[in-house]
Each structure stands twice: as structure tokens, then as C-alpha cells.
């Protein structure tokens, strides 16, 4: 019996590993266990809306005594879907929409929400990132996304309200909602939303549940330190910017992935390897890498790995965060 169970366990591990490998082939593709564009209740008055279609990020809808808070503005089309869901869940108005960071899939829907009466809110680093990267990215995105083009705006609408301390709180008789900045990981504006009573943490893209790590504005070396700060909170539910909801293990896994990625590339640099030894380019884009990460972080490894290796290599060899190399000071 023991041997049989062990064999079954090994088979399961093998199947899971195979599945993770296959899933890893698609960088942003939906997995079969994903529930794109559906709403799941996480706690009383706290709902997770999974994105995944049409480039949408995840949203979180939080019910306060008199109003709703939505985490992330999403792309304009995602904003409209999340708005419909919020109306279905509660008759209370959406008063605040929190941008976890400046990327289009999290912030380009800002004006859709403010037109409907909401106040967009973010850590000040989000506005600063927008000043660095916009309107170039908005105009570029408008070429391929109808929902962005149709807004007829010259650029993204920056958040209407920002906080410059490390945290900001909204609370009433029913709930306390904390907004935190723990440092530069995915972007220089990364905001977390924490519900202490419900032990819910919304992480934006500083923690994703799967192969969704985009590093173009990142500080790869500092990323694990930011997650370590978030791990000091008492957390039962991790609601990521992309991928499914999970528990604290999602934070630990994301932190380990960033740590292992940095470690592997640093050791290659230490051995005197050149970028072309690590990454194979095609049409000016990284398509293959010789860097292998341990099985423990397989869940976070996908088609994006060659690009992630290239970015990490440049960060280490130039001695400054990649976001400073790509996006200026
Ligand atoms: Zn992002």
C-alpha cells in the first residue's frame, strides 16, 4: 500500500510538472484551471474578479459601509466589465479606484472610472512613472487597442489623488483598508492593499501567481526585499494582479523566483559569461535562454524567461535597477 501510494504521489508530481511545463509555454495564456472574467467571493464584502481575457488584469472589489473600493482601473474594456460586476454585487457607488501601478492593463481605464464618479488613487510613484513613460506608451497602445484609441485622449489620466507616505488608510465602522508602499519591485509605484481583519493582501504585479512577471520597469535585485516587507503582514489570501488567488505560498514562490533568477544570472556574470552566452536573439528579441531555474519556481517560469534573463543581466552588468536603464532616472 505504501509503495502504491508513493507511486501515485510520484505520478501526480510528474503530471503536475508536465502540466506546469506545458502551461509555461504560453507567457500570458490562460491555464485550464483559470476562471477568466469571473467573480469569486474571498470574504464577506470582498470579491476577486479574475482578468485574463483581452489583456485584462485582475480586480478586487471591496465593500465599505457606504461605498465600494476597486483595486486597479484595468484597461478601459476591463474597467467597464469590472464596473458592471460591481453594480451587480452591490448598489453602493464605487468611490475609490486604486492603481497598484502605472501599466496600461492596470491604469489605462482611469478615465472610465472618474467619468462614472470615482476618485482614482495611487502611491505618488505611479504618477511619477507615468511622467517618465507617457504619453509614448499610451499612444503606442492606442495603435493596437480599440478600447484605448476610442477614449480619444492624448495620454493616460493620472490618478486624481496620491499619497506620499508609506501608507494611507480608508476606514469606517465595517472595515479598515490599508494602502502600502514597500519599495521598488515591479515598478517605482508598486502599491499593496491590505485588509487586516480579513487578512487579505492585494499585490498588483509585485506578486503574480504564474509566469506573468514583466520586468521592463523593475528593480530585480530589490524585488525580494519588497515581498519580504509584505510577508510581515498577517495574510491568509493573496490576490495577485495576474493569475489566480492563493495563500501566502504565492508570495513565497514569487519571492523565490525573483531570488533564483537574480542568483542564476549573477553567477553567470561572475563566470565571465556574455549576454549572448545566456540569451539567443531573433529579430532583436530574446527567444531562448541557457539559464535554468530550479523546479521549485517552475510555476513562475514561462515564455518570458529569455527576456527576464536579458533584463536581469543588464541590471547586474550596469550596476543599477533595470527601470533606471530603460526609463531614465
Ligand atoms: Zn504590470
Amino acid at each position: 500500500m505504501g509503495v502504491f501510494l508513493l507511486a501515485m504521489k510520484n505520478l501526480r508530481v510528474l503530471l503536475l510538472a508536465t502540466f506546469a511545463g506545458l502551461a509555461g509555454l504560453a507567457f500570458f495564456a490562460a491555464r485550464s484551471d483559470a476562471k477568466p472574467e469571473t467573480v469569486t467571493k474571498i470574504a464577506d464584502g470582498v470579491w476577486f474578479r479574475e482578468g485574463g481575457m483581452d489583456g485584462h488584469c485582475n480586480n478586487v472589489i471591496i465593500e465599505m459601509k457606504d461605498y465600494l473600493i476597486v483595486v486597479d482601473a484595468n484597461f478601459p474594456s476591463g474597467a467597464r466589465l469590472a464596473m458592471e460586476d460591481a453594480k451587480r454585487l452591490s448598489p453602493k457607488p464605487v468611490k475609490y479606484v486604486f492603481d497598484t501601478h502605472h501599466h496600461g492593463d492596470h491604469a489605462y481605464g482611469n478615465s472610465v472610472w472618474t467619468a462614472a464618479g470615482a476618485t482614482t488613487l495611487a502611491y505618488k510613484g505611479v504618477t511619477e512613472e507615468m511622467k517618465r513613460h507617457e504619453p509614448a506608451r499610451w499612444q503606442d497602445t492606442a495603435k493596437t487597442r480599440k478600447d484605448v484609441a476610442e477614449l480619444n485622449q492624448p495620454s493616460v489620466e493620472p490618478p486624481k489623488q496620491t499619497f506620499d507616505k508609506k501608507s494611507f488608510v480608508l476606514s469606517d465602522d465595517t472595515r479598515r483598508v490599508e494602502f502600502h508602499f514597500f519599495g521598488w519591485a515591479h515598478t517605482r509605484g508598486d502599491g499593496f492593499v491590505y485588509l487586516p481583519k480579513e487578512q487579505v493582501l492585494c499585490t498588483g504585479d509585485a506578486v503574480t501567481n504564474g509566469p506573468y512577471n514583466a520586468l521592463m520597469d523593475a528593480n530585480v535585485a530589490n524585488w525580494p526585499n519588497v515581498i519580504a516587507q509584505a510577508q510581515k503582514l498577517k495574510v491568509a489570501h493573496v490576490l495577485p494582479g495576474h493569475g489566480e488567488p492563493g495563500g501566502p505560498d504565492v508570495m513565497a514562490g514569487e519571492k523565490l523566483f525573483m531570488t533564483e533568477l537574480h542568483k542564476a544570472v549573477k553567477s553567470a556574470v561572475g563566470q565571465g559569461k556574455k549576454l549572448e552566452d545566456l540569451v539567443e536573439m531573433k529579430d532583436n528579441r530574446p527567444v531562448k535562454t541557457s539559464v535554468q531555474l530550479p523546479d521549485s519556481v517552475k510555476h513562475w517560469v514561462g515564455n518570458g524567461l529569455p527576456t527576464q534573463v536579458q533584463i536581469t543581466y543588464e541590471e547586474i552588468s550596469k550596476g543599477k535597477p533595470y527601470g533606471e536603464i530603460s526609463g531614465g532616472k
Side-chain angles (χ1 to χ4, degrees):
M1 195 63 182
V3 174
F4 175 71
L5 277 177
L6 190 67
M8 284 301 286
K9 210 179 155 209
N10 283 338
L11 180 66
R12 198 177 122 77
V13 168
L14 185 71
L15 285 172
L16 282 174
T18 309
F19 176 73
L22 286 173
L25 287 174
F27 188 36
F28 278 112
R31 300 163 315 284
S32 64
D33 50 350
K35 297 185 209 70
E37 312 299 316
T38 60
V39 174
T40 310
K41 183 179 163 182
I42 302 296
D44 280 342
V46 182
W47 298 274
F48 176 81
R49 184 183 193 284
E50 192 167 322
M53 309 274 277
D54 204 14
H56 297 156
C57 71
N58 297 332
N59 287 104
V60 182
I61 300 166
I62 302 162
E63 185 177 23
M64 304 296 281
K65 187 165 164 273
D66 303 314
Y67 62 90
L68 305 177
I69 301 168
V70 173
V71 179
D72 274 321
N74 215 316
F75 272 128
S77 61
R80 290 185 193 104
L81 291 171
M83 204 180 279
E84 276 168 33
D85 281 332
K87 274 185 193 142
R88 210 168 37 74
L89 293 166
S90 164
K92 298 173 190 174
V94 175
K95 189 171 176 191
Y96 291 102
V97 176
F98 182 71
D99 291 344
T100 59
H101 60 292
H102 67 287
H103 287 156
D105 54 338
H106 297 258
Y108 280 6
N110 274 355
S111 63
V112 174
W113 292 102
T114 55
T119 298
T120 42
L121 171 73
Y123 174 65
K124 66 168 181 185
V126 173
T127 310
E128 291 163 5
E129 286 281 44
M130 284 174 179
K131 282 185 189 145
R132 279 181 200 106
H133 302 289
E134 302 295 0
R137 287 185 184 175
W138 174 275
Q139 287 168 1
D140 209 41
T141 308
K143 288 177 198 156
T144 54
R145 285 197 69 102
K146 213 170 146 227
D147 61 338
V148 173
E150 278 174 356
L151 287 178
N152 261 315
Q153 289 172 209
S155 187
V156 60
E157 184 185 275
K160 295 284 182 192
Q161 189 179 327
T162 56
F163 59 96
D164 57 7
K165 304 276 183 314
K166 289 208 157 151
S167 59
F168 175 81
V169 177
L170 288 171
S171 66
D172 60 26
D173 307 345
T174 61
R175 207 185 299 280
R176 177 183 169 88
V177 181
E178 301 175 359
F179 302 87
H180 293 279
F181 173 72
F182 294 127
W184 182 1
H186 180 63
T187 73
R188 279 178 261 196
D190 294 342
F192 290 72
V193 184
Y194 179 56
L195 282 59
K197 192 175 73 183
E198 300 79 4
Q199 296 180 17
V200 169
L201 183 67
C202 314
T203 61
D205 291 358
V207 176
T208 67
N209 191 2
Y212 310 111
N213 286 297
L215 310 187
M216 69 274 202
D217 300 323
N219 184 337
V220 182
N222 194 50
W223 198 312
N225 303 332
V226 170
I227 299 177
Q229 292 293 312
Q231 284 178 312
K232 288 181 188 163
L233 302 168
K234 206 164 185 243
V235 175
H237 306 277
V238 171
L239 308 182
H242 299 275
E244 294 152 68
D249 54 312
V250 180
M251 274 196 282
E254 168 82 31
K255 186 169 93 177
L256 190 61
F257 170 75
M258 297 308 303
T259 304
E260 293 291 352
L261 173 69
H262 195 267
K263 198 167 86 182
V265 177
K266 200 173 178 185
S267 103
V269 172
Q271 289 162 26
K273 295 219 168 118
K274 299 261 169 299
L275 182 59
E276 53 266 37
D277 301 326
L278 303 183
V279 176
E280 192 184 310
M281 306 289 285
K282 200 181 162 194
D283 303 328
N284 248 333
R285 285 185 48 220
V287 287
K288 229 172 149 183
T289 179
S290 57
V291 170
Q292 286 197 328
L293 300 184
D295 277 359
S296 52
V297 298
K298 256 212 156 101
H299 181 61
W300 284 264
V301 174
N303 270 5
L305 188 63
T307 303
Q308 290 160 342
V309 167
Q310 180 201 27
I311 285 175
T312 309
Y313 181 93
E314 292 193 16
E315 176 171 310
I316 292 169
S317 58
K318 296 198 169 106
K320 55 181 175 183
Y322 185 76
E324 263 184 34
I325 301 166
S326 67
K329 295 267 173 206

